[in-house]
Every structure is written in structure tokens, then in C-alpha cells.
Amino acid sequence: MNAHVEDRTPLVEMEEISISFGGVHAVERASVNLYPGEVVALLGHNGAGKSTLIKILSGAYRRDSGVIRIRGEEARIENPRDAKSYGIETIYQTLALADNVDAAANLYLGRELLTRWRTLDDAAMEARAREVMGRLNPRFQRFKDPVKTLSGGQRQSVAIARAILFNARILIMDEPTAALGPQETAQVGELIQHLKSEGVGVFLISHDIHDVFHLADRVTVMKNGQVVGTGRVEDLTKDEVLGMIILGKCPPGATPGPGAA
Amino acid sequence: MNQTAGGAPDRAILARANRAAGDLARFSGRAFRAMEIDTRFLGMIAALLIIWIGFDLLSGGRFLTARNLWNLSVQSASVAILATGMVLVIVTRNIDLSVGSLHGFLAMVMGVVQARYLPEILGFGHPAIWFVTLMAGVLLGAVVGGLQGFLIAYLSIPAFIVTLGGLLVWRGAAWWVTSGQTVSPLDSRFILMGGGPRGAIGDVATWVLAALACLALLLLQAAARRRKRRFGFPTRPVWAEALMAALGCGAVLGAAAVANAYYWPAGTVRQWAAANDVIIPAGGLQISHGIAVPVLIALAAGVVMTFVARRTRFGRYVYAIGGNPEAAELAGVNTRWVTMKIFMIMGVLCALAGAVASARLQSATNSQGTLDELLTIAAAVIGGTSLAGGAGTIAGAMLGALLMQSLSSGMILLGLDAPLQNVVVGLVLVAAVWLDTLYKRRAG
Ligand SMILES: Nc1ncnc2c1ncn2[C@@H]1O[C@H](COP(=O)(O)OP(=O)(O)O)[C@@H](O)[C@H]1O
Ligand SMILES: [Mg+2]
């Protein structure tokens, strides 16, 4: 299933990406890539640098060095607006919601629908919000309330809805199901399958190794800011992946990175 | 705790009263929810009415007169204008301590422009002087505000520090404009912005304006209802719509009636009659003030700023930044540019407030607006703007300005000493914020 995929130009290539905060090398010479219709899982302990790496792709941080290519062409991603212009949408681990405004305002934040008088078209935004949220979380009805009054799962649904609202070509999901119940988690799984079938590339960060083996095509494991290795899910066992995460040992089924022990 | 012999029946009565009160609260709660009116805003109106009625009783009916209410509206205008902008500043977790000084500085500049430069260029008494002056002030205000905003947004210097510096710098600059001399007299048209018998629009225009305002309210309400219908969203019950319309129009028409019930002083009428060859009839001639020009300016500022805050992208970004600056940035909002624009708007409002205040005094002095930054911040906060950011309404802040001016005027009317007035205003500010935290804790 992946053989034909790899013949094509990668959707995303991140090469030798480094960034440090003060003296801390949060990410060091990390390389990952992503093909259309592919799900790549990023794994690693807390503090391994997963969120930092994807925040460089989403424009939240500026890298110190390294190259990002989108569809084979070098991309200038200096801020979140740049990333969005490449079709990159992100569900942040912290959700990044403006707590004091409602779901629709969050969904359209930065890209509001306007009436022909160039004023906010709140009714149209709410209607679209109801449509998208209805697919993710059919019981959700609290469209008038500020999102700070919503439950953790509902807030996560809002963050997910925002990422899929604008036809992302590249979707970054940083622990998207952390606050969801089993039913909503399953729905996110279906959503990912659906996006794959439409050729969307997905970076998925998750702690649930079962989920990862179920949804991902490839896994990239990070440790201490470096990539331990990358491999296809069918070439790896769960124990081997755990070994990569915990010991930084790259098994024969995976391609080692600079962080391999 | 009161264990008397008659305890049992007392308690029964109390319980019944309690139940009735609970029912009433639940019913009114439902009614307000049906009308989708902010209960907090209603609380402020109630507080204002209590203050007004209280002062009226204490002063033996001298507070709730057309004359006093009209003056109150004029005196509130300049802080109300400033408060409309301060809301946006505080909503984004910033502060602007420079507004009092900046408005003094801009008033001085406008004073010199209209009294010294423009008469030489355009000719003394030229009808465009007031407008050119005002535009010069607005432009300079936008530039100065933009400069402060740039330092805050792009150089990441805390707003508190930048505007504290601004407080000192612009107060000093206000002195430098004329080396401390008061500028007077001002242009005869410019001073109409300050109110007074001539600086009010008269009864006919007031009624016309009130009617137009009512019409606008009804049309807006109908448009909102139609939009909701179109998207199949639930709408308010018809009785709630009707009640809201009636309340809104009633308030507008009532305010117009009060403004029209305040007549020109006899001396002004005599002057006017002499100048216009009008013969005053035997019973005297009653000429209504109508709404004062500075009040119109403040109301216009309030309407425009409310529109900006609620119906534009910029306004949405202001609130989103206040709720979570990082989230706004990650969503692609240019948070720095938005912040800088807020301070530019604040500068423009300082020019308007400076024009209104100097026009009212018919002179520009370098101490004008001293401490207004604190009154403005207090008005915004009393009006429900949260210092933690993310929440606040323009209308609330304007009501806050009116409330504080009501306290000052009422105490002057009662003959309280100035120091005691400050004590009371200070205590009210603290109490209002305390009540608000209680309210928020209960509302969740
Ligand atoms: N904004 C920041 N400032 C300073 N240090 C940071 C910042 N963001 C991340 N780090 C550090 O970078 C490392 C990687 O963090 P992160 O990318 O969040 O890990 P993960 O998402 O894999 O749990 C951690 O040591 C963290 O403390
Ligand atoms: Mg993380």
C-alpha cells in the first residue's frame, strides 16, 4: 500500500531541523517526511521534542537551522499564517483556543466569514460550525457559550473541527484524543481514515501505541530532541517501538537517525 | 438566630417571602434570558438609578432635574469618550496611563492651531477652522498613539511602562506648546463641541434624532431576527422582542424628553432675541437645549466603537487576544498590528476628548485632563471590563463614566468637601470590582 506512495514527491520534508531555547537543544538535526495520504506518528517520551518539531512546521516557532520543503519546494514558514498558506493545519496539544469566545468564533479565528458589508457574518459561521461539529460530536449544542465553559472533550472537538474546516492538505495532530472518551476517539480514528483517503498527510502525535499501530503508516521516534529512527508500522513490533522510545535502540526494521544509541 | 416566642409564624412568613423572592428571581432570570440581556448591564443601570434617586432624596429633589441631568451628560462626555477606547486596551491585557496627559497635550496643540496658526492662514473666524483643527488633533493623536502602540507591540515594552512614560512626556509637552500659557479664546464654532446653550441641537433636531435612533434599533432587531430565521436558529419569543424594543425606544425617547425639558437661561434667550430681532412674548420664551453636541460626540464614539468591537474582524481579534494571546497568534492573527491599532484608536479618542473638554472650558490649559487616565480606567472597570483581559463592553464603560460623574456631581450638589468626594469615588471603585468578582464567581 505504501510502495506507490513513496514514488511520489513527499508532501513535507523536514531536514536537519534544530532549535534551542536558551541552552536547551529542544530539537537537534531532526528529519522527518510525510507523503500524501499517509499518517506518520511521532513517538517519544514527554520532553522528547515532538511538539517543538511540529510547531516549527506550523509556524509557531522559528527554527535555528534546517530546511522545510513542501511538495518538493523549499518553504518559507516564519509564522502561523505562512504555514496555513501551505495548507498546514494544526491541532495543538494545548488546543490553543480563545477561551472567552464561542465555538464558531474559535473555528474561524483569523479567517472570519464576512458579509458583503465586510462585517462579521456570525450566523453563517455558526451554521458552518454546527455542520462540522455535528460530524465530530453530534450531541454538542452549546454554540453560544464561551469555550471555557465546555468540557475537555468538547474543547478538543472544537480544536479538531477548526483544523479540518479549511480543507487542510497537511494536518498536524498533537495528542488529539487526550481528553476524548472512547466514542469520540473512535470518531477521530474514522476522521483520520477519511482524510487519508482524500490524500491529506497527517502527522499524529499520540501516547497510545495501540492507536498508533492502528492508524499510522510509519512511525518516527524521538528522544532528547533527536530522531532515533523511522520505520513502517508493518516492519516493526510494538516491543521494538517501545525499545526505540525507552532505550533509543533502533531495530533492523527501521532507518536509524542521529539519535540512535 | 432570633429565638423569640413568635418565632414559628415569623419563620413561616419569612419562608413565604423567601419563596416569593425566589420565584421572582427565577422569573426575572428567565425573562432576562429570553431577552438575552446581560444581567450585569442591568445591574449597572439599577446601581445608576439607585444613586440618582438617592441623591435626589438627599438633595431635596435637586438632582433629578432636567438641568442637572443635562449637565451630568455634558460633564461625563470626555471620560466616556476615552472609556470606549480604554475597554479595548484593557481587554487585550494592556493599560493606557497616558490618556489624561495626551488629551491635555492634544487640546493645547488644537488650541494653538485654531487660535494662532489657522486665523493667519485661513483668516480669522473662517468656518473651516474648527474642522481643520479637529482633524489635526485626530491625526496627531493617531500618530502619538501609534508610536506608543509600536513600542508596546513590536518592541515588547510593557504597556504600563510605555504609557507611564507617556503620562510624563505628554504632560510636559502640553506645557511646552505655549510655555504654560493658557490658550483662549477658542474658535467660536470649535467651542460648540463643548455644549452650552448654543452647543446643543435644539428640540426639533433632538426629536428627529431620537426617532431615527428608535427606527435604527427596530431595524437592527428585525435584521438580527431575520438572519437567525434564515439559518434556522432559535429566536427570542415575540413578547421578549417587543419588550426589548419598548425598553430601548423608551430610554431613547425619555433621554430626548429630558434634554428638551432643559431651557435656555433667560439671559441667553434675551441675547439671542436681540441678535435675531425676535420679540420675546409676554410669558417669556422657552427655548429647549436638546441633546448637547459633546454628548452626541460621545454617543457616536460609543456606537462606532461598539460596532468595531462586535461586528468587525479587528474587534473579534481584540477579544480573542484578550482571551488567549498565544491562541490568537497561532490562529494567524497579527497580534502586534492589532495591538498597535488599538493604541492608535486610543490616541484619536484622546483628541476627541481633548476637543470636547477644552471647548467646554472655552480655553486650553496645560493641566487639562490631569487624572483623567484614572477616571477612565475606573469607568471601564466599573463598567465590567476585566483587568485579566478578554471581557468588557463599550456600553458598560460609558455607563461607568456616567456613574462616576453622577457620584461627583451628586456630592457637589450636597456640598461635600472635595477630599471626601475622592474618598467616596475610590471606595465605590473598589466595592464595584469586589461585587463583580463575587458575581463572576457565582456565574462561573
Ligand atoms: N518555549 C519553550 N521554551 C523553553 N523550552 C522549551 C520550550 N518549548 C519546549 N521546550 C523544551 O524543549 C523540550 C522538548 O519539549 P516538547 O517539544 O514539548 O516535548 P514533547 O512534545 O515531545 O513532550 C523540553 O525539554 C522542553 O522543556
Ligand atoms: Mg508535546
Side-chain angles (χ1 to χ4, degrees), chain B residues 52 171 252 352 402 405:
Chain B
W52 282 8
R171 185 58 66 200
V252 169
L352 287 184
L402 183 59
Q405 187 59 48

Side-chain angles (χ1 to χ4, degrees), chain A residues 164-241:
Chain A
I164 60 171
L165 190 58
F166 294 95
N167 301 319
R169 303 314 301 161
I170 299 156
L171 184 60
I172 300 168
M173 308 175 104
D174 195 347
E175 315 211 5
T177 57
L180 295 185
Q183 206 181 336
E184 285 90 2
T185 303
Q187 237 139 11
V188 172
E190 276 172 35
L191 173 71
I192 291 176
Q193 301 287 8
H194 172 72
L195 293 170
K196 260 172 78 103
S197 71
E198 294 193 332
V200 176
V202 179
F203 277 122
L204 174 67
I205 300 177
S206 173
H207 272 128
D208 187 337
I209 203 144
H210 174 78
D211 255 7
V212 166
F213 268 72
H214 173 59
L215 292 169
D217 300 298
R218 288 187 296 144
V219 296
T220 293
V221 176
M222 293 184 73
K223 192 171 164 59
N224 301 329
Q226 296 181 313
V227 171
V228 173
T230 301
R232 294 218 184 93
V233 172
E234 56 265 35
D235 299 340
L236 296 166
T237 65
K238 285 182 186 169
D239 282 344
E240 283 173 330
V241 171

Side-chain angles (χ1 to χ4, degrees), chain A residues 21 24 26 45-52 61 93:
Chain A
F21 299 105
V24 183
H45 280 311
N46 274 334
K50 309 178 297 288
S51 295
T52 306
Y61 293 150
Q93 190 169 6

Side-chain angles (χ1 to χ4, degrees), chain A residues 14 17-21 24 26-27 49-65 68 76-83 90 92-94 172 174, chain B residues 326 329-330:
Chain A
M14 296 184 80
I17 304 286
S18 299
I19 185 172
S20 52
F21 299 105
V24 183
V27 172
K50 309 178 297 288
S51 295
T52 306
L53 180 63
I54 61 96
K55 278 185 168 181
I56 288 170
L57 182 59
S58 75
Y61 293 150
R62 277 203 220 173
R63 61 194 181 275
D64 296 336
S65 62
I68 300 175
R76 269 179 62 95
I77 297 180
E78 314 247 293
N79 58 46
R81 265 161 290 150
D82 292 344
T90 313
Y92 291 98
Q93 190 169 6
T94 55
I172 300 168
D174 195 347
Chain B
E326 201 199 344
E329 183 77 45
L330 291 175

Side-chain angles (χ1 to χ4, degrees), chain B residues 139-210:
Chain B
L139 202 68
L140 185 60
V143 169
V144 170
L147 174 70
Q148 295 190 146
F150 177 81
L151 298 177
I152 292 160
Y154 289 91
L155 303 188
S156 304
I157 311 173
F160 186 92
I161 300 302
V162 170
T163 60
L164 182 59
L167 180 146
L168 298 168
V169 167
W170 307 120
R171 185 58 66 200
W175 189 89
W176 278 109
V177 175
T178 58
S179 301
Q181 284 177 319
T182 294
V183 185
S184 175
L186 300 182
D187 178 73
S188 62
R189 289 183 183 79
F190 188 86
I191 60 174
L192 297 184
M193 281 191 279
R198 304 297 171 80
I201 60 174
D203 50 0
V204 176
T206 296
W207 284 125
V208 169
L209 213 61

